[in-house]
Amino acid sequence: DIQMTQSPSSLSASVGDRVTITCRASQSISSHLNWYQQKPGKAPKIVVSSLQSGVPSRFSGSGSGTDFTLTISSLQPEDFATYYCQQSYSIPRTFGQGTKVEIK
Amino acid sequence: EVQLVESGGGLVQPGGSLRLSCAASGFTFSSYWMSWVRQAPGKGLEWVANIKQDGSETYFVDSVKGRFTISRDNTKNSLYLQMNSLRAEDTAVYYCARGGGIFEYWGQGTLVTVSS
């Protein structure tokens, strides 16, 4: 199974900050990496997929192989949440442990 | 508008069974892989199973193989998860999601609690 490791586990940031979250795969997954946002008590929502649609967004993903990043260009109040990376390269699909983005 | 609505969760004793359902609307259900993803209380996300458009292929995480079955009824736009021999560690919110690898849409989830 492919293990996904995120860092940091949590971070504090202010509205307007640029935020970067890292995800590392235990083996190469090419570019098959997706990011989800989850707010307390709610279902996850996809924010970046490996099939980027080209729609402008403050959320962007980069990387290939084993190292990936999610960048939020200018943090908004509604962006405070937990973020998960997930590989869609092989079965079983696996998620990172999550990164909680909190208000500073 | 894509909608996924899960049902069937509840309290069940260890060793018991439960069948979850997911009603889909707002898209051509028969054209998409579908998945189940779960989240134990206070924990992260865990993919459980997925099923091909016509039901001919199914895949499971090792921890549920032989105990869970995934199925679908394209005439009813519905996805199912039959869970047998339930264990305490299966306690979680179960989400159905559209997609086999990229989970584009999610339901609101249904809570399964396995406890005596």
Side-chain angles (χ1 to χ4, degrees):
Chain A
D1 297 3
I2 297 175
Q3 282 197 319
M4 307 302 293
T5 304
Q6 288 181 234
S7 61
S9 296
S10 65
L11 64 90
S12 296
S14 301
V15 172
D17 283 353
R18 181 182 180 89
V19 169
T20 298
I21 298 169
T22 297
C23 178
R24 175 165 287 176
S26 60
Q27 65 188 75
S28 177
I29 58 170
S30 184
S31 59
H32 297 276
L33 194 282
N34 311 292
W35 292 94
Y36 302 86
Q37 175 195 71
Q38 187 179 33
K39 297 180 180 179
K42 299 293 187 182
K45 169 186 158 184
I46 194 162
V47 291
V48 171
S49 85
S50 54
L51 304 175
Q52 293 272 20
S53 67
V55 175
S57 169
R58 60 181 177 276
F59 294 94
S60 64
S62 64
S64 66
T66 61
D67 294 315
F68 301 85
T69 58
L70 172 69
T71 299
I72 308 173
S73 58
S74 177
L75 199 64
Q76 298 302 299
E78 60 268 30
D79 300 337
F80 291 95
T82 299
Y83 293 85
Y84 295 92
C85 63
Q86 174 251 330
Q87 63 83 14
S88 50
Y89 180 78
S90 68
I91 296 283
R93 310 305 191 194
T94 47
F95 291 85
Q97 81 279 15
T99 295
K100 188 173 184 179
V101 177
E102 298 175 298
I103 302 172
K104 182 183 279 185
Chain B
E1 179 195 4
V2 171
Q3 281 203 317
L4 298 168
V5 180
E6 302 92 339
S7 60
L11 175 63
V12 61
Q13 291 189 338
S17 297
L18 214 52
R19 188 196 197 205
L20 306 183
S21 300
C22 172
S25 61
F27 64 102
T28 306
F29 180 73
S30 59
S31 296
Y32 290 88
W33 281 77
M34 295 294 294
S35 298
W36 288 97
V37 178
R38 68 184 177 182
Q39 186 169 37
K43 301 297 184 182
L45 301 168
E46 180 182 38
W47 172 81
V48 174
N50 62 14
I51 184 168
K52 195 175 178 179
Q53 290 91 331
D54 61 359
S56 61
E57 293 181 37
T58 61
Y59 301 93
F60 298 88
V61 68
D62 281 352
S63 59
V64 309
K65 279 180 186 172
R67 300 189 299 122
F68 289 13
T69 303
I70 187 172
S71 62
R72 64 193 296 162
D73 186 336
N74 288 341
T75 66
K76 296 182 178 178
N77 291 339
S78 292
L79 176 71
Y80 306 101
L81 186 68
Q82 177 67 43
M83 304 185 294
N84 298 331
S85 302
L86 282 161
R87 305 167 180 168
E89 54 265 35
D90 296 318
T91 294
V93 174
Y94 285 73
Y95 296 101
C96 76
R98 193 180 89 173
I102 301 173
F103 309 123
E104 303 164 295
Y105 295 94
W106 300 62
Q108 84 290 349
T110 188
L111 176 63
V112 172
T113 303
V114 184
S115 175
S116 54

